[in-house]
């Protein structure tokens, strides 16, 4: 799950009136995005992925809301189903994650993995952290 994925999901559900009312109001007040702007930014301009990812902080601001938690769990479950399960060996292994979305929402990531029967191992925000630690240990 990427910032772009969650941003697209938030924006789409906002524009189609599928967010809970209190979240839709907060999203609208925070971003003030219109359907016309969304179409222009996504389909006619470059950098759509960065623009969509810019909505990800909304998740952190409202992470306690059940709809946000469901959205995150759905995204992580979809990722496990499409990207992890097809390549899992017969012997169970831990799956490790790098990235700000995995790091910020580690609890939902681990819960989704547990439901899917996949053990989540290390979760780091930036790959350099793990590399630096590894090379310090080697030195």
């Amino acid at each position: 799950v990427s910032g772009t994925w969650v941003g697209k999901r938030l924006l789409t559900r906002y524009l189609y009136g599928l967010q809970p009312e209190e979240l839709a109001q907060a999203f609208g007040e925070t971003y003030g995005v219109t359907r016309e702007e969304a179409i222009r930014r996504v389909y006619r301009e470059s950098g759509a992925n960065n623009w969509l990812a810019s909505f990800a902080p909304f998740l952190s601001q409202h992470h306690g809301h059940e709809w946000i938690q469901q959205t995150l769990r759905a995204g992580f479950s979809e990722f496990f189903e499409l990207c992890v399960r097809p390549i899992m060996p017969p012997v169970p292994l831990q799956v490790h994650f790098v990235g700000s979305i995995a790091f910020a929402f580690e609890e939902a990531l681990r819960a989704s993995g547990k439901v899917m029967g996949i053990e989540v191992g290390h979760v780091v925000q930036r790959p350099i952290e793990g590399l630096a630690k590894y090379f310090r240990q080697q030195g």
Side-chain angles (χ1 to χ4, degrees):
V1 173
S2 66
T4 301
W5 185 90
V6 295
K8 179 180 176 185
R9 193 158 179 113
L10 284 170
L11 180 62
T12 301
R13 277 145 183 78
Y14 171 74
L15 293 175
Y16 284 95
L18 300 174
Q19 283 184 358
E21 187 175 332
E22 64 278 13
L23 287 178
Q25 182 177 351
F27 191 86
E29 289 171 1
T30 302
Y31 298 104
V33 65
T34 64
R35 186 178 306 270
E36 293 75 24
E37 179 186 11
I39 290 169
R40 179 178 51 79
R41 299 286 302 259
V42 171
Y43 295 108
R44 297 188 184 122
E45 295 180 8
S46 62
N49 57 335
N50 292 330
W51 183 69
L52 289 168
S54 73
F55 299 125
F58 187 82
L59 294 170
S60 294
Q61 296 164 356
H62 301 278
H63 74 277
H65 196 285
E66 181 57 29
W67 187 86
I68 296 292
Q69 290 298 312
Q70 289 173 354
T71 298
L72 289 166
R73 287 191 302 265
F76 290 135
S77 295
E78 183 178 306
F79 176 81
F80 285 125
E81 188 67 35
L82 297 175
C83 300
V84 176
R85 275 209 172 138
I87 60 170
M88 284 294 287
V91 177
L93 297 175
Q94 288 184 334
V95 179
H96 306 284
F97 291 84
V98 174
S100 51
I101 297 296
F103 186 79
F105 305 107
E106 183 176 347
E107 186 178 321
L109 173 66
R110 289 186 183 280
S112 296
K114 187 173 184 177
V115 168
M116 303 289 290
I118 297 170
E119 184 181 353
V120 174
H122 300 291
V123 179
V124 296
Q125 186 171 9
R126 291 179 215 87
I128 194 68
E129 296 164 3
L131 290 170
K133 182 178 177 182
Y134 173 80
F135 283 108
R136 279 194 304 269
Q137 291 172 347
Q138 299 302 311

PDB file of all heavy atoms in Angstrom, residues 3-26:
ATOM      1  N   GLY A   3       1.299   5.681  -0.497  1.00  0.00           N
ATOM      2  CA  GLY A   3       0.613   6.944  -0.269  1.00  0.00           C
ATOM      3  C   GLY A   3      -0.327   7.269  -1.406  1.00  0.00           C
ATOM      4  O   GLY A   3      -1.421   7.805  -1.201  1.00  0.00           O
ATOM      5  N   THR A   4       0.078   6.920  -2.617  1.00  0.00           N
ATOM      6  CA  THR A   4      -0.780   7.150  -3.780  1.00  0.00           C
ATOM      7  C   THR A   4      -2.050   6.328  -3.676  1.00  0.00           C
ATOM      8  O   THR A   4      -3.153   6.830  -3.948  1.00  0.00           O
ATOM      9  CB  THR A   4      -0.020   6.812  -5.078  1.00  0.00           C
ATOM     10  OG1 THR A   4       1.152   7.628  -5.151  1.00  0.00           O
ATOM     11  CG2 THR A   4      -0.876   7.033  -6.301  1.00  0.00           C
ATOM     12  N   TRP A   5      -1.929   5.064  -3.266  1.00  0.00           N
ATOM     13  CA  TRP A   5      -3.099   4.191  -3.146  1.00  0.00           C
ATOM     14  C   TRP A   5      -4.089   4.758  -2.135  1.00  0.00           C
ATOM     15  O   TRP A   5      -5.276   4.870  -2.428  1.00  0.00           O
ATOM     16  CB  TRP A   5      -2.692   2.768  -2.734  1.00  0.00           C
ATOM     17  CG  TRP A   5      -3.837   1.819  -2.706  1.00  0.00           C
ATOM     18  CD1 TRP A   5      -4.288   1.038  -3.721  1.00  0.00           C
ATOM     19  CD2 TRP A   5      -4.727   1.560  -1.588  1.00  0.00           C
ATOM     20  NE1 TRP A   5      -5.379   0.312  -3.317  1.00  0.00           N
ATOM     21  CE2 TRP A   5      -5.672   0.614  -2.018  1.00  0.00           C
ATOM     22  CE3 TRP A   5      -4.801   2.043  -0.293  1.00  0.00           C
ATOM     23  CZ2 TRP A   5      -6.675   0.129  -1.191  1.00  0.00           C
ATOM     24  CZ3 TRP A   5      -5.806   1.568   0.535  1.00  0.00           C
ATOM     25  CH2 TRP A   5      -6.730   0.616   0.091  1.00  0.00           C
ATOM     26  N   VAL A   6      -3.586   5.123  -0.947  1.00  0.00           N
ATOM     27  CA  VAL A   6      -4.514   5.627   0.070  1.00  0.00           C
ATOM     28  C   VAL A   6      -5.085   6.975  -0.330  1.00  0.00           C
ATOM     29  O   VAL A   6      -6.259   7.251  -0.074  1.00  0.00           O
ATOM     30  CB  VAL A   6      -3.891   5.670   1.483  1.00  0.00           C
ATOM     31  CG1 VAL A   6      -3.570   4.289   1.988  1.00  0.00           C
ATOM     32  CG2 VAL A   6      -2.692   6.568   1.551  1.00  0.00           C
ATOM     33  N   GLY A   7      -4.274   7.810  -0.973  1.00  0.00           N
ATOM     34  CA  GLY A   7      -4.775   9.100  -1.432  1.00  0.00           C
ATOM     35  C   GLY A   7      -5.883   8.946  -2.453  1.00  0.00           C
ATOM     36  O   GLY A   7      -6.913   9.631  -2.391  1.00  0.00           O
ATOM     37  N   LYS A   8      -5.677   8.030  -3.395  1.00  0.00           N
ATOM     38  CA  LYS A   8      -6.699   7.776  -4.415  1.00  0.00           C
ATOM     39  C   LYS A   8      -7.984   7.260  -3.771  1.00  0.00           C
ATOM     40  O   LYS A   8      -9.086   7.690  -4.115  1.00  0.00           O
ATOM     41  CB  LYS A   8      -6.173   6.762  -5.427  1.00  0.00           C
ATOM     42  CG  LYS A   8      -7.151   6.417  -6.510  1.00  0.00           C
ATOM     43  CD  LYS A   8      -6.547   5.405  -7.470  1.00  0.00           C
ATOM     44  CE  LYS A   8      -7.554   4.980  -8.507  1.00  0.00           C
ATOM     45  NZ  LYS A   8      -7.023   3.924  -9.375  1.00  0.00           N
ATOM     46  N   ARG A   9      -7.827   6.363  -2.818  1.00  0.00           N
ATOM     47  CA  ARG A   9      -8.993   5.799  -2.143  1.00  0.00           C
ATOM     48  C   ARG A   9      -9.751   6.876  -1.360  1.00  0.00           C
ATOM     49  O   ARG A   9     -10.976   6.948  -1.409  1.00  0.00           O
ATOM     50  CB  ARG A   9      -8.552   4.670  -1.221  1.00  0.00           C
ATOM     51  CG  ARG A   9      -9.690   3.836  -0.728  1.00  0.00           C
ATOM     52  CD  ARG A   9      -9.157   2.483  -0.306  1.00  0.00           C
ATOM     53  NE  ARG A   9     -10.219   1.664   0.195  1.00  0.00           N
ATOM     54  CZ  ARG A   9     -10.666   0.556  -0.400  1.00  0.00           C
ATOM     55  NH1 ARG A   9     -10.112   0.151  -1.501  1.00  0.00           N
ATOM     56  NH2 ARG A   9     -11.635  -0.133   0.119  1.00  0.00           N
ATOM     57  N   LEU A  10      -9.019   7.718  -0.647  1.00  0.00           N
ATOM     58  CA  LEU A  10      -9.660   8.807   0.100  1.00  0.00           C
ATOM     59  C   LEU A  10     -10.384   9.765  -0.836  1.00  0.00           C
ATOM     60  O   LEU A  10     -11.546  10.119  -0.611  1.00  0.00           O
ATOM     61  CB  LEU A  10      -8.615   9.591   0.894  1.00  0.00           C
ATOM     62  CG  LEU A  10      -8.083   8.959   2.165  1.00  0.00           C
ATOM     63  CD1 LEU A  10      -6.890   9.741   2.685  1.00  0.00           C
ATOM     64  CD2 LEU A  10      -9.173   8.870   3.212  1.00  0.00           C
ATOM     65  N   LEU A  11      -9.695  10.182  -1.888  1.00  0.00           N
ATOM     66  CA  LEU A  11     -10.260  11.150  -2.825  1.00  0.00           C
ATOM     67  C   LEU A  11     -11.488  10.582  -3.533  1.00  0.00           C
ATOM     68  O   LEU A  11     -12.523  11.252  -3.626  1.00  0.00           O
ATOM     69  CB  LEU A  11      -9.208  11.581  -3.844  1.00  0.00           C
ATOM     70  CG  LEU A  11      -9.689  12.590  -4.887  1.00  0.00           C
ATOM     71  CD1 LEU A  11     -10.113  13.892  -4.218  1.00  0.00           C
ATOM     72  CD2 LEU A  11      -8.591  12.830  -5.912  1.00  0.00           C
ATOM     73  N   THR A  12     -11.381   9.371  -4.025  1.00  0.00           N
ATOM     74  CA  THR A  12     -12.502   8.750  -4.736  1.00  0.00           C
ATOM     75  C   THR A  12     -13.730   8.654  -3.851  1.00  0.00           C
ATOM     76  O   THR A  12     -14.836   9.028  -4.258  1.00  0.00           O
ATOM     77  CB  THR A  12     -12.112   7.350  -5.240  1.00  0.00           C
ATOM     78  OG1 THR A  12     -10.988   7.468  -6.110  1.00  0.00           O
ATOM     79  CG2 THR A  12     -13.254   6.680  -5.977  1.00  0.00           C
ATOM     80  N   ARG A  13     -13.539   8.182  -2.635  1.00  0.00           N
ATOM     81  CA  ARG A  13     -14.681   8.043  -1.727  1.00  0.00           C
ATOM     82  C   ARG A  13     -15.226   9.397  -1.287  1.00  0.00           C
ATOM     83  O   ARG A  13     -16.415   9.525  -1.044  1.00  0.00           O
ATOM     84  CB  ARG A  13     -14.305   7.156  -0.553  1.00  0.00           C
ATOM     85  CG  ARG A  13     -14.454   5.700  -0.972  1.00  0.00           C
ATOM     86  CD  ARG A  13     -13.455   4.784  -0.390  1.00  0.00           C
ATOM     87  NE  ARG A  13     -13.632   3.436  -0.888  1.00  0.00           N
ATOM     88  CZ  ARG A  13     -13.226   3.010  -2.084  1.00  0.00           C
ATOM     89  NH1 ARG A  13     -12.652   3.835  -2.925  1.00  0.00           N
ATOM     90  NH2 ARG A  13     -13.408   1.755  -2.465  1.00  0.00           N
ATOM     91  N   TYR A  14     -14.388  10.388  -1.216  1.00  0.00           N
ATOM     92  CA  TYR A  14     -14.858  11.739  -0.910  1.00  0.00           C
ATOM     93  C   TYR A  14     -15.719  12.262  -2.064  1.00  0.00           C
ATOM     94  O   TYR A  14     -16.827  12.754  -1.845  1.00  0.00           O
ATOM     95  CB  TYR A  14     -13.668  12.667  -0.663  1.00  0.00           C
ATOM     96  CG  TYR A  14     -14.060  14.117  -0.565  1.00  0.00           C
ATOM     97  CD1 TYR A  14     -14.710  14.608   0.561  1.00  0.00           C
ATOM     98  CD2 TYR A  14     -13.792  15.005  -1.603  1.00  0.00           C
ATOM     99  CE1 TYR A  14     -15.078  15.944   0.661  1.00  0.00           C
ATOM    100  CE2 TYR A  14     -14.154  16.340  -1.515  1.00  0.00           C
ATOM    101  CZ  TYR A  14     -14.801  16.798  -0.394  1.00  0.00           C
ATOM    102  OH  TYR A  14     -15.179  18.115  -0.309  1.00  0.00           O
ATOM    103  N   LEU A  15     -15.215  12.163  -3.282  1.00  0.00           N
ATOM    104  CA  LEU A  15     -15.929  12.710  -4.436  1.00  0.00           C
ATOM    105  C   LEU A  15     -17.237  11.991  -4.717  1.00  0.00           C
ATOM    106  O   LEU A  15     -18.176  12.586  -5.236  1.00  0.00           O
ATOM    107  CB  LEU A  15     -15.029  12.677  -5.677  1.00  0.00           C
ATOM    108  CG  LEU A  15     -13.808  13.606  -5.620  1.00  0.00           C
ATOM    109  CD1 LEU A  15     -12.926  13.391  -6.834  1.00  0.00           C
ATOM    110  CD2 LEU A  15     -14.232  15.065  -5.491  1.00  0.00           C
ATOM    111  N   TYR A  16     -17.309  10.705  -4.375  1.00  0.00           N
ATOM    112  CA  TYR A  16     -18.537   9.944  -4.592  1.00  0.00           C
ATOM    113  C   TYR A  16     -19.442   9.906  -3.367  1.00  0.00           C
ATOM    114  O   TYR A  16     -20.437   9.190  -3.347  1.00  0.00           O
ATOM    115  CB  TYR A  16     -18.207   8.517  -5.046  1.00  0.00           C
ATOM    116  CG  TYR A  16     -17.775   8.459  -6.488  1.00  0.00           C
ATOM    117  CD1 TYR A  16     -16.435   8.488  -6.835  1.00  0.00           C
ATOM    118  CD2 TYR A  16     -18.711   8.400  -7.515  1.00  0.00           C
ATOM    119  CE1 TYR A  16     -16.030   8.449  -8.156  1.00  0.00           C
ATOM    120  CE2 TYR A  16     -18.330   8.365  -8.844  1.00  0.00           C
ATOM    121  CZ  TYR A  16     -16.982   8.394  -9.150  1.00  0.00           C
ATOM    122  OH  TYR A  16     -16.586   8.356 -10.468  1.00  0.00           O
ATOM    123  N   GLY A  17     -19.087  10.670  -2.338  1.00  0.00           N
ATOM    124  CA  GLY A  17     -19.931  10.737  -1.138  1.00  0.00           C
ATOM    125  C   GLY A  17     -19.945   9.453  -0.335  1.00  0.00           C
ATOM    126  O   GLY A  17     -20.951   9.140   0.311  1.00  0.00           O
ATOM    127  N   LEU A  18     -18.841   8.713  -0.342  1.00  0.00           N
ATOM    128  CA  LEU A  18     -18.794   7.430   0.350  1.00  0.00           C
ATOM    129  C   LEU A  18     -17.998   7.462   1.651  1.00  0.00           C
ATOM    130  O   LEU A  18     -17.852   6.441   2.299  1.00  0.00           O
ATOM    131  CB  LEU A  18     -18.208   6.356  -0.586  1.00  0.00           C
ATOM    132  CG  LEU A  18     -18.999   6.125  -1.873  1.00  0.00           C
ATOM    133  CD1 LEU A  18     -18.263   5.162  -2.781  1.00  0.00           C
ATOM    134  CD2 LEU A  18     -20.397   5.617  -1.550  1.00  0.00           C
ATOM    135  N   GLN A  19     -17.492   8.629   2.018  1.00  0.00           N
ATOM    136  CA  GLN A  19     -16.842   8.765   3.315  1.00  0.00           C
ATOM    137  C   GLN A  19     -17.921   9.071   4.355  1.00  0.00           C
ATOM    138  O   GLN A  19     -18.928   9.706   4.028  1.00  0.00           O
ATOM    139  CB  GLN A  19     -15.838   9.926   3.305  1.00  0.00           C
ATOM    140  CG  GLN A  19     -14.537   9.652   2.628  1.00  0.00           C
ATOM    141  CD  GLN A  19     -13.578  10.834   2.764  1.00  0.00           C
ATOM    142  OE1 GLN A  19     -13.906  11.870   3.327  1.00  0.00           O
ATOM    143  NE2 GLN A  19     -12.387  10.671   2.231  1.00  0.00           N
ATOM    144  N   PRO A  20     -17.700   8.656   5.591  1.00  0.00           N
ATOM    145  CA  PRO A  20     -18.631   9.076   6.643  1.00  0.00           C
ATOM    146  C   PRO A  20     -18.688  10.605   6.678  1.00  0.00           C
ATOM    147  O   PRO A  20     -17.700  11.285   6.388  1.00  0.00           O
ATOM    148  CB  PRO A  20     -18.005   8.509   7.917  1.00  0.00           C
ATOM    149  CG  PRO A  20     -17.173   7.364   7.450  1.00  0.00           C
ATOM    150  CD  PRO A  20     -16.663   7.758   6.102  1.00  0.00           C
ATOM    151  N   GLU A  21     -19.830  11.129   7.039  1.00  0.00           N
ATOM    152  CA  GLU A  21     -20.076  12.572   6.968  1.00  0.00           C
ATOM    153  C   GLU A  21     -19.017  13.406   7.678  1.00  0.00           C
ATOM    154  O   GLU A  21     -18.534  14.404   7.143  1.00  0.00           O
ATOM    155  CB  GLU A  21     -21.463  12.889   7.535  1.00  0.00           C
ATOM    156  CG  GLU A  21     -21.862  14.325   7.345  1.00  0.00           C
ATOM    157  CD  GLU A  21     -23.283  14.591   7.806  1.00  0.00           C
ATOM    158  OE1 GLU A  21     -24.117  13.667   7.767  1.00  0.00           O
ATOM    159  OE2 GLU A  21     -23.542  15.736   8.216  1.00  0.00           O
ATOM    160  N   GLU A  22     -18.633  12.989   8.893  1.00  0.00           N
ATOM    161  CA  GLU A  22     -17.658  13.778   9.647  1.00  0.00           C
ATOM    162  C   GLU A  22     -16.286  13.780   8.970  1.00  0.00           C
ATOM    163  O   GLU A  22     -15.578  14.786   8.984  1.00  0.00           O
ATOM    164  CB  GLU A  22     -17.548  13.309  11.108  1.00  0.00           C
ATOM    165  CG  GLU A  22     -17.037  11.892  11.298  1.00  0.00           C
ATOM    166  CD  GLU A  22     -18.087  10.789  11.146  1.00  0.00           C
ATOM    167  OE1 GLU A  22     -19.192  11.053  10.655  1.00  0.00           O
ATOM    168  OE2 GLU A  22     -17.774   9.651  11.527  1.00  0.00           O
ATOM    169  N   LEU A  23     -15.910  12.677   8.344  1.00  0.00           N
ATOM    170  CA  LEU A  23     -14.634  12.633   7.626  1.00  0.00           C
ATOM    171  C   LEU A  23     -14.717  13.428   6.325  1.00  0.00           C
ATOM    172  O   LEU A  23     -13.767  14.119   5.963  1.00  0.00           O
ATOM    173  CB  LEU A  23     -14.230  11.186   7.324  1.00  0.00           C
ATOM    174  CG  LEU A  23     -13.747  10.367   8.507  1.00  0.00           C
ATOM    175  CD1 LEU A  23     -13.433   8.942   8.072  1.00  0.00           C
ATOM    176  CD2 LEU A  23     -12.543  11.005   9.170  1.00  0.00           C
ATOM    177  N   ALA A  24     -15.830  13.313   5.643  1.00  0.00           N
ATOM    178  CA  ALA A  24     -15.999  14.063   4.394  1.00  0.00           C
ATOM    179  C   ALA A  24     -15.920  15.567   4.662  1.00  0.00           C
ATOM    180  O   ALA A  24     -15.293  16.307   3.899  1.00  0.00           O
ATOM    181  CB  ALA A  24     -17.328  13.708   3.735  1.00  0.00           C
ATOM    182  N   GLN A  25     -16.546  15.999   5.733  1.00  0.00           N
ATOM    183  CA  GLN A  25     -16.494  17.421   6.078  1.00  0.00           C
ATOM    184  C   GLN A  25     -15.055  17.842   6.375  1.00  0.00           C
ATOM    185  O   GLN A  25     -14.575  18.864   5.888  1.00  0.00           O
ATOM    186  CB  GLN A  25     -17.400  17.709   7.273  1.00  0.00           C
ATOM    187  CG  GLN A  25     -17.423  19.181   7.637  1.00  0.00           C
ATOM    188  CD  GLN A  25     -18.387  19.472   8.780  1.00  0.00           C
ATOM    189  OE1 GLN A  25     -19.164  18.626   9.194  1.00  0.00           O
ATOM    190  NE2 GLN A  25     -18.334  20.679   9.284  1.00  0.00           N
ATOM    191  N   ALA A  26     -14.351  17.046   7.166  1.00  0.00           N
ATOM    192  CA  ALA A  26     -12.960  17.372   7.516  1.00  0.00           C
ATOM    193  C   ALA A  26     -12.063  17.330   6.277  1.00  0.00           C
ATOM    194  O   ALA A  26     -11.206  18.199   6.097  1.00  0.00           O
ATOM    195  CB  ALA A  26     -12.446  16.395   8.575  1.00  0.00           C
TER     196      ALA A  26
END
